[in-house]
Amino acid sequence: MRIGNLAGRAVLVGGGLAVDVERASGGRFGSDPQAVYAEWEAFRAWAEGADLPGGTAFEASELGAPVPAPRQVFAIGLNYRDHAAESGFDVPEGLPPVFTKFATSITGPVTEVALPPGGNTDWEVELVAVVGRHARNVAETDAWGHIAGLTVGQDISERVSQMAGPAPQFSLGKSFPGFAPTGPWVVTLDEFGDPADLELGSAINGEEVQKGRTRELIFSIPLLVARLSAVLPLLPGDLIFTGTPAGVGLGRTPQRWLAKGDELVSHVEGIGELRQRFV
Ligand code: ZN
């Protein structure tokens, strides 16, 4: 099942068509895409059993963020060995670095992003997990049961403000407007052959800059749910940006940053792609 946000309304997507959730459910479920996750089990049961009407065609540019207003956004740093190495850091143990992307930075899959003046703006394609059930002290073996689905995310990062000051400002440097594109939809786990091994990558103006597989995550999604939920509760509709593989601009010689006019395309196997134009 694929759940999206078409012009601000929750939709089920299939075969390039979108079915409006509120209308198809006779009002049982509302139009707010975020509300789906507050009653995820009931929603999934309805959607799997419903005799859905034919959908309407749409353009990717009409899609909003599939999870537009999470109460918590977790973002994980240094979660691939090759990216930790290119960043000049040791591989984390126990807990990886955790920061947030403030909710105002979240957008849909096809956007224009304003480059902050004086900044060094970088790219980080990431698999994003969507929490579907309240999670507190969850065992790693039970953790997938707390995930509603997966989507694609870009952890766009402005490195000057990220590294400014006596302690790094990860959360602010990664939260400029438009710095958290997500989508194009949330895909439920049953749609993947193996949700723990998906190819992900990014390209700038058609040139591949990142390519990895999520089986290379140091902290897998179940391990992240276990370690994070040991500290605090994860809430339905929360997002977890799981980290980026190697190939970011910071780790290159010479370093490379996004420039005006660049188009960044980010993909995860079995989900889809994001498309950002920088202005
Ligand atoms: Zn990241």
Side-chain angles (χ1 to χ4, degrees):
M1 185 197 316
R2 291 165 182 246
I3 306 109
N5 169 355
L6 182 58
R9 297 182 63 86
V11 290
L12 290 165
V13 177
L17 301 176
V19 173
D20 188 272
V21 164
E22 183 182 36
R23 291 185 200 115
S25 69
R28 166 65 183 85
F29 298 96
S31 63
D32 177 5
Q34 187 68 38
V36 163
Y37 302 97
E39 41 181 349
W40 173 248
E41 295 302 334
F43 176 77
R44 190 174 65 176
W46 166 76
E48 285 173 354
D51 185 16
L52 296 172
T56 52
F58 63 92
E59 301 286 332
S61 58
E62 297 174 82
L63 294 169
V67 186
R71 285 174 286 181
Q72 304 185 99
V73 179
F74 302 92
I76 309 301
L78 308 176
N79 205 9
Y80 291 81
R81 278 171 213 287
D82 54 1
H83 175 62
E86 73 175 352
S87 305
F89 289 102
D90 293 333
V91 169
E93 293 172 34
L95 257 181
V98 181
F99 54 94
T100 195
K101 291 176 80 69
F102 291 105
T104 54
S105 64
I106 295 171
T107 69
V110 180
T111 58
E112 283 194 346
V113 181
L115 291 164
N120 294 337
T121 300
D122 206 345
W123 55 89
E124 298 191 353
V125 63
E126 308 201 359
L127 178 65
V128 175
V130 182
V131 176
R133 190 196 301 173
H134 187 279
R136 176 72 170 140
N137 293 319
V138 170
E140 188 180 348
T141 47
D142 297 332
W144 277 121
H146 294 259
I147 299 299
L150 304 174
T151 192
V152 187
Q154 248 295 341
D155 178 17
I156 301 173
S157 304
E158 199 288 285
R159 303 300 190 191
V160 175
S161 39
Q162 180 185 341
M163 306 302 185
Q169 291 275 16
F170 273 61
S171 299
L172 278 180
K174 292 163 170 277
S175 292
F176 286 86
F179 270 33
T182 53
W185 29 68
V186 173
V187 181
T188 50
L189 301 177
D190 55 285
E191 294 226 359
F192 300 95
D194 179 0
D197 183 20
L198 305 173
E199 184 190 282
L200 75 172
S202 63
I204 300 172
N205 306 326
E207 176 195 348
E208 181 180 278
V209 287
Q210 291 187 281
K211 188 174 185 179
R213 297 199 69 89
T214 60
R215 66 164 182 247
E216 296 158 0
L217 283 166
I218 299 168
F219 294 85
S220 66
I221 288 172
L223 188 54
L224 287 171
V225 169
R227 295 282 166 85
L228 291 170
S229 77
V231 177
L232 45 62
L234 309 185
L235 307 175
D238 283 357
L239 299 180
I240 307 172
F241 281 70
T242 58
T244 198
V248 303
L250 179 74
R252 289 170 181 264
T253 311
Q255 291 180 327
R256 176 175 173 181
W257 313 117
L258 289 160
K260 201 190 294 187
D262 280 349
E263 186 184 53
L264 174 66
V265 177
S266 314
H267 79 274
V268 178
E269 175 187 1
I271 303 175
E273 66 178 32
L274 312 176
R275 193 171 286 269
Q276 272 58 58
R277 171 82 59 185
F278 292 85
V279 297

PDB file of all heavy atoms in Angstrom, residues 166-191:
ATOM      1  N   PRO A 166      31.184  26.540  19.072  1.00  0.00           N
ATOM      2  CA  PRO A 166      31.980  25.585  19.847  1.00  0.00           C
ATOM      3  C   PRO A 166      31.444  24.147  19.761  1.00  0.00           C
ATOM      4  O   PRO A 166      32.207  23.211  19.951  1.00  0.00           O
ATOM      5  CB  PRO A 166      31.886  26.117  21.280  1.00  0.00           C
ATOM      6  CG  PRO A 166      30.652  26.964  21.288  1.00  0.00           C
ATOM      7  CD  PRO A 166      30.503  27.528  19.917  1.00  0.00           C
ATOM      8  N   ALA A 167      30.142  23.981  19.498  1.00  0.00           N
ATOM      9  CA  ALA A 167      29.561  22.635  19.326  1.00  0.00           C
ATOM     10  C   ALA A 167      28.770  22.645  18.013  1.00  0.00           C
ATOM     11  O   ALA A 167      28.132  23.639  17.684  1.00  0.00           O
ATOM     12  CB  ALA A 167      28.643  22.295  20.489  1.00  0.00           C
ATOM     13  N   PRO A 168      28.806  21.571  17.246  1.00  0.00           N
ATOM     14  CA  PRO A 168      28.115  21.566  15.945  1.00  0.00           C
ATOM     15  C   PRO A 168      26.620  21.825  16.091  1.00  0.00           C
ATOM     16  O   PRO A 168      25.988  21.388  17.049  1.00  0.00           O
ATOM     17  CB  PRO A 168      28.378  20.156  15.412  1.00  0.00           C
ATOM     18  CG  PRO A 168      29.533  19.639  16.192  1.00  0.00           C
ATOM     19  CD  PRO A 168      29.488  20.309  17.532  1.00  0.00           C
ATOM     20  N   GLN A 169      26.070  22.545  15.111  1.00  0.00           N
ATOM     21  CA  GLN A 169      24.647  22.918  15.098  1.00  0.00           C
ATOM     22  C   GLN A 169      23.919  22.048  14.075  1.00  0.00           C
ATOM     23  O   GLN A 169      23.369  22.571  13.103  1.00  0.00           O
ATOM     24  CB  GLN A 169      24.506  24.388  14.702  1.00  0.00           C
ATOM     25  CG  GLN A 169      25.008  25.364  15.721  1.00  0.00           C
ATOM     26  CD  GLN A 169      23.953  25.674  16.754  1.00  0.00           C
ATOM     27  OE1 GLN A 169      22.961  24.963  16.877  1.00  0.00           O
ATOM     28  NE2 GLN A 169      24.149  26.724  17.508  1.00  0.00           N
ATOM     29  N   PHE A 170      23.928  20.732  14.308  1.00  0.00           N
ATOM     30  CA  PHE A 170      23.340  19.850  13.300  1.00  0.00           C
ATOM     31  C   PHE A 170      21.890  20.226  12.999  1.00  0.00           C
ATOM     32  O   PHE A 170      21.490  20.323  11.849  1.00  0.00           O
ATOM     33  CB  PHE A 170      23.400  18.392  13.776  1.00  0.00           C
ATOM     34  CG  PHE A 170      24.690  17.718  13.424  1.00  0.00           C
ATOM     35  CD1 PHE A 170      25.895  18.191  13.916  1.00  0.00           C
ATOM     36  CD2 PHE A 170      24.706  16.614  12.598  1.00  0.00           C
ATOM     37  CE1 PHE A 170      27.092  17.568  13.589  1.00  0.00           C
ATOM     38  CE2 PHE A 170      25.893  15.974  12.258  1.00  0.00           C
ATOM     39  CZ  PHE A 170      27.091  16.457  12.759  1.00  0.00           C
ATOM     40  N   SER A 171      21.084  20.420  14.032  1.00  0.00           N
ATOM     41  CA  SER A 171      19.640  20.574  13.820  1.00  0.00           C
ATOM     42  C   SER A 171      19.316  21.851  13.038  1.00  0.00           C
ATOM     43  O   SER A 171      18.502  21.835  12.121  1.00  0.00           O
ATOM     44  CB  SER A 171      18.903  20.559  15.155  1.00  0.00           C
ATOM     45  OG  SER A 171      19.114  19.320  15.803  1.00  0.00           O
ATOM     46  N   LEU A 172      19.979  22.970  13.395  1.00  0.00           N
ATOM     47  CA  LEU A 172      19.700  24.217  12.683  1.00  0.00           C
ATOM     48  C   LEU A 172      20.253  24.189  11.260  1.00  0.00           C
ATOM     49  O   LEU A 172      19.590  24.606  10.322  1.00  0.00           O
ATOM     50  CB  LEU A 172      20.295  25.406  13.444  1.00  0.00           C
ATOM     51  CG  LEU A 172      19.469  25.950  14.607  1.00  0.00           C
ATOM     52  CD1 LEU A 172      20.207  27.117  15.259  1.00  0.00           C
ATOM     53  CD2 LEU A 172      18.082  26.384  14.142  1.00  0.00           C
ATOM     54  N   GLY A 173      21.466  23.679  11.103  1.00  0.00           N
ATOM     55  CA  GLY A 173      22.092  23.665   9.784  1.00  0.00           C
ATOM     56  C   GLY A 173      21.374  22.780   8.788  1.00  0.00           C
ATOM     57  O   GLY A 173      21.564  22.903   7.581  1.00  0.00           O
ATOM     58  N   LYS A 174      20.509  21.891   9.285  1.00  0.00           N
ATOM     59  CA  LYS A 174      19.783  20.958   8.431  1.00  0.00           C
ATOM     60  C   LYS A 174      18.287  21.263   8.387  1.00  0.00           C
ATOM     61  O   LYS A 174      17.503  20.413   7.958  1.00  0.00           O
ATOM     62  CB  LYS A 174      20.028  19.531   8.940  1.00  0.00           C
ATOM     63  CG  LYS A 174      21.473  19.058   8.743  1.00  0.00           C
ATOM     64  CD  LYS A 174      21.799  17.863   9.599  1.00  0.00           C
ATOM     65  CE  LYS A 174      23.140  17.221   9.237  1.00  0.00           C
ATOM     66  NZ  LYS A 174      23.058  16.296   8.109  1.00  0.00           N
ATOM     67  N   SER A 175      17.908  22.475   8.836  1.00  0.00           N
ATOM     68  CA  SER A 175      16.481  22.806   8.937  1.00  0.00           C
ATOM     69  C   SER A 175      16.094  24.097   8.240  1.00  0.00           C
ATOM     70  O   SER A 175      15.054  24.674   8.544  1.00  0.00           O
ATOM     71  CB  SER A 175      16.051  22.869  10.413  1.00  0.00           C
ATOM     72  OG  SER A 175      16.099  21.580  10.998  1.00  0.00           O
ATOM     73  N   PHE A 176      16.906  24.569   7.290  1.00  0.00           N
ATOM     74  CA  PHE A 176      16.445  25.712   6.493  1.00  0.00           C
ATOM     75  C   PHE A 176      15.168  25.304   5.751  1.00  0.00           C
ATOM     76  O   PHE A 176      14.921  24.109   5.521  1.00  0.00           O
ATOM     77  CB  PHE A 176      17.529  26.123   5.493  1.00  0.00           C
ATOM     78  CG  PHE A 176      18.694  26.847   6.110  1.00  0.00           C
ATOM     79  CD1 PHE A 176      19.763  26.153   6.649  1.00  0.00           C
ATOM     80  CD2 PHE A 176      18.709  28.239   6.158  1.00  0.00           C
ATOM     81  CE1 PHE A 176      20.839  26.816   7.225  1.00  0.00           C
ATOM     82  CE2 PHE A 176      19.781  28.912   6.737  1.00  0.00           C
ATOM     83  CZ  PHE A 176      20.853  28.200   7.272  1.00  0.00           C
ATOM     84  N   PRO A 177      14.342  26.300   5.365  1.00  0.00           N
ATOM     85  CA  PRO A 177      13.091  25.944   4.664  1.00  0.00           C
ATOM     86  C   PRO A 177      13.363  25.048   3.456  1.00  0.00           C
ATOM     87  O   PRO A 177      14.263  25.310   2.657  1.00  0.00           O
ATOM     88  CB  PRO A 177      12.546  27.315   4.242  1.00  0.00           C
ATOM     89  CG  PRO A 177      13.077  28.257   5.281  1.00  0.00           C
ATOM     90  CD  PRO A 177      14.465  27.739   5.612  1.00  0.00           C
ATOM     91  N   GLY A 178      12.599  23.976   3.357  1.00  0.00           N
ATOM     92  CA  GLY A 178      12.724  23.074   2.214  1.00  0.00           C
ATOM     93  C   GLY A 178      13.843  22.058   2.335  1.00  0.00           C
ATOM     94  O   GLY A 178      14.072  21.290   1.399  1.00  0.00           O
ATOM     95  N   PHE A 179      14.525  22.001   3.492  1.00  0.00           N
ATOM     96  CA  PHE A 179      15.694  21.123   3.633  1.00  0.00           C
ATOM     97  C   PHE A 179      15.331  19.684   4.003  1.00  0.00           C
ATOM     98  O   PHE A 179      16.226  18.871   4.210  1.00  0.00           O
ATOM     99  CB  PHE A 179      16.666  21.699   4.671  1.00  0.00           C
ATOM    100  CG  PHE A 179      17.696  22.631   4.088  1.00  0.00           C
ATOM    101  CD1 PHE A 179      17.405  23.432   2.992  1.00  0.00           C
ATOM    102  CD2 PHE A 179      18.973  22.721   4.636  1.00  0.00           C
ATOM    103  CE1 PHE A 179      18.358  24.291   2.452  1.00  0.00           C
ATOM    104  CE2 PHE A 179      19.931  23.572   4.098  1.00  0.00           C
ATOM    105  CZ  PHE A 179      19.632  24.350   3.020  1.00  0.00           C
ATOM    106  N   ALA A 180      14.027  19.378   4.092  1.00  0.00           N
ATOM    107  CA  ALA A 180      13.637  17.990   4.394  1.00  0.00           C
ATOM    108  C   ALA A 180      12.565  17.512   3.417  1.00  0.00           C
ATOM    109  O   ALA A 180      11.450  17.163   3.808  1.00  0.00           O
ATOM    110  CB  ALA A 180      13.157  17.863   5.834  1.00  0.00           C
ATOM    111  N   PRO A 181      12.899  17.454   2.115  1.00  0.00           N
ATOM    112  CA  PRO A 181      11.919  16.874   1.181  1.00  0.00           C
ATOM    113  C   PRO A 181      11.709  15.384   1.463  1.00  0.00           C
ATOM    114  O   PRO A 181      12.661  14.673   1.813  1.00  0.00           O
ATOM    115  CB  PRO A 181      12.542  17.101  -0.202  1.00  0.00           C
ATOM    116  CG  PRO A 181      13.957  17.487   0.018  1.00  0.00           C
ATOM    117  CD  PRO A 181      14.118  17.903   1.447  1.00  0.00           C
ATOM    118  N   THR A 182      10.460  14.959   1.343  1.00  0.00           N
ATOM    119  CA  THR A 182      10.097  13.564   1.633  1.00  0.00           C
ATOM    120  C   THR A 182       9.068  13.098   0.615  1.00  0.00           C
ATOM    121  O   THR A 182       8.361  13.906   0.008  1.00  0.00           O
ATOM    122  CB  THR A 182       9.479  13.432   3.042  1.00  0.00           C
ATOM    123  OG1 THR A 182       8.397  14.366   3.131  1.00  0.00           O
ATOM    124  CG2 THR A 182      10.486  13.713   4.145  1.00  0.00           C
ATOM    125  N   GLY A 183       8.991  11.796   0.436  1.00  0.00           N
ATOM    126  CA  GLY A 183       7.963  11.253  -0.449  1.00  0.00           C
ATOM    127  C   GLY A 183       8.532  10.200  -1.394  1.00  0.00           C
ATOM    128  O   GLY A 183       9.541   9.592  -1.070  1.00  0.00           O
ATOM    129  N   PRO A 184       7.977   9.974  -2.574  1.00  0.00           N
ATOM    130  CA  PRO A 184       6.723  10.624  -2.982  1.00  0.00           C
ATOM    131  C   PRO A 184       5.509  10.131  -2.193  1.00  0.00           C
ATOM    132  O   PRO A 184       4.469  10.771  -2.243  1.00  0.00           O
ATOM    133  CB  PRO A 184       6.618  10.257  -4.467  1.00  0.00           C
ATOM    134  CG  PRO A 184       7.509   9.078  -4.657  1.00  0.00           C
ATOM    135  CD  PRO A 184       8.568   9.128  -3.605  1.00  0.00           C
ATOM    136  N   TRP A 185       5.662   9.005  -1.479  1.00  0.00           N
ATOM    137  CA  TRP A 185       4.576   8.432  -0.669  1.00  0.00           C
ATOM    138  C   TRP A 185       5.209   7.523   0.356  1.00  0.00           C
ATOM    139  O   TRP A 185       6.422   7.246   0.316  1.00  0.00           O
ATOM    140  CB  TRP A 185       3.593   7.628  -1.538  1.00  0.00           C
ATOM    141  CG  TRP A 185       4.257   7.031  -2.733  1.00  0.00           C
ATOM    142  CD1 TRP A 185       5.199   6.025  -2.735  1.00  0.00           C
ATOM    143  CD2 TRP A 185       4.089   7.435  -4.096  1.00  0.00           C
ATOM    144  NE1 TRP A 185       5.614   5.789  -4.017  1.00  0.00           N
ATOM    145  CE2 TRP A 185       4.953   6.637  -4.880  1.00  0.00           C
ATOM    146  CE3 TRP A 185       3.296   8.391  -4.734  1.00  0.00           C
ATOM    147  CZ2 TRP A 185       5.048   6.765  -6.263  1.00  0.00           C
ATOM    148  CZ3 TRP A 185       3.404   8.522  -6.107  1.00  0.00           C
ATOM    149  CH2 TRP A 185       4.256   7.714  -6.860  1.00  0.00           C
ATOM    150  N   VAL A 186       4.392   7.038   1.300  1.00  0.00           N
ATOM    151  CA  VAL A 186       4.841   6.035   2.272  1.00  0.00           C
ATOM    152  C   VAL A 186       4.442   4.669   1.733  1.00  0.00           C
ATOM    153  O   VAL A 186       3.285   4.457   1.350  1.00  0.00           O
ATOM    154  CB  VAL A 186       4.196   6.283   3.654  1.00  0.00           C
ATOM    155  CG1 VAL A 186       4.526   5.146   4.622  1.00  0.00           C
ATOM    156  CG2 VAL A 186       4.665   7.628   4.218  1.00  0.00           C
ATOM    157  N   VAL A 187       5.403   3.763   1.690  1.00  0.00           N
ATOM    158  CA  VAL A 187       5.162   2.402   1.200  1.00  0.00           C
ATOM    159  C   VAL A 187       5.185   1.451   2.389  1.00  0.00           C
ATOM    160  O   VAL A 187       6.148   1.454   3.174  1.00  0.00           O
ATOM    161  CB  VAL A 187       6.237   2.008   0.164  1.00  0.00           C
ATOM    162  CG1 VAL A 187       5.980   0.597  -0.360  1.00  0.00           C
ATOM    163  CG2 VAL A 187       6.269   3.010  -0.988  1.00  0.00           C
ATOM    164  N   THR A 188       4.128   0.629   2.520  1.00  0.00           N
ATOM    165  CA  THR A 188       4.075  -0.300   3.653  1.00  0.00           C
ATOM    166  C   THR A 188       5.069  -1.450   3.460  1.00  0.00           C
ATOM    167  O   THR A 188       5.472  -1.775   2.340  1.00  0.00           O
ATOM    168  CB  THR A 188       2.650  -0.852   3.846  1.00  0.00           C
ATOM    169  OG1 THR A 188       2.170  -1.344   2.587  1.00  0.00           O
ATOM    170  CG2 THR A 188       1.710   0.225   4.342  1.00  0.00           C
ATOM    171  N   LEU A 189       5.450  -2.067   4.579  1.00  0.00           N
ATOM    172  CA  LEU A 189       6.564  -3.024   4.566  1.00  0.00           C
ATOM    173  C   LEU A 189       6.281  -4.249   3.708  1.00  0.00           C
ATOM    174  O   LEU A 189       7.207  -4.849   3.158  1.00  0.00           O
ATOM    175  CB  LEU A 189       6.874  -3.447   6.007  1.00  0.00           C
ATOM    176  CG  LEU A 189       7.248  -2.286   6.941  1.00  0.00           C
ATOM    177  CD1 LEU A 189       7.465  -2.808   8.359  1.00  0.00           C
ATOM    178  CD2 LEU A 189       8.487  -1.551   6.442  1.00  0.00           C
ATOM    179  N   ASP A 190       5.002  -4.641   3.592  1.00  0.00           N
ATOM    180  CA  ASP A 190       4.660  -5.851   2.831  1.00  0.00           C
ATOM    181  C   ASP A 190       4.981  -5.697   1.342  1.00  0.00           C
ATOM    182  O   ASP A 190       5.046  -6.681   0.623  1.00  0.00           O
ATOM    183  CB  ASP A 190       3.174  -6.166   3.008  1.00  0.00           C
ATOM    184  CG  ASP A 190       2.295  -4.974   2.615  1.00  0.00           C
ATOM    185  OD1 ASP A 190       2.238  -4.007   3.399  1.00  0.00           O
ATOM    186  OD2 ASP A 190       1.698  -4.995   1.527  1.00  0.00           O
ATOM    187  N   GLU A 191       5.203  -4.467   0.874  1.00  0.00           N
ATOM    188  CA  GLU A 191       5.477  -4.245  -0.554  1.00  0.00           C
ATOM    189  C   GLU A 191       6.934  -4.508  -0.920  1.00  0.00           C
ATOM    190  O   GLU A 191       7.289  -4.500  -2.096  1.00  0.00           O
ATOM    191  CB  GLU A 191       5.106  -2.813  -0.949  1.00  0.00           C
ATOM    192  CG  GLU A 191       3.618  -2.547  -0.845  1.00  0.00           C
ATOM    193  CD  GLU A 191       3.075  -1.822  -2.065  1.00  0.00           C
ATOM    194  OE1 GLU A 191       3.849  -1.500  -2.986  1.00  0.00           O
ATOM    195  OE2 GLU A 191       1.858  -1.595  -2.084  1.00  0.00           O
TER     196      GLU A 191
END
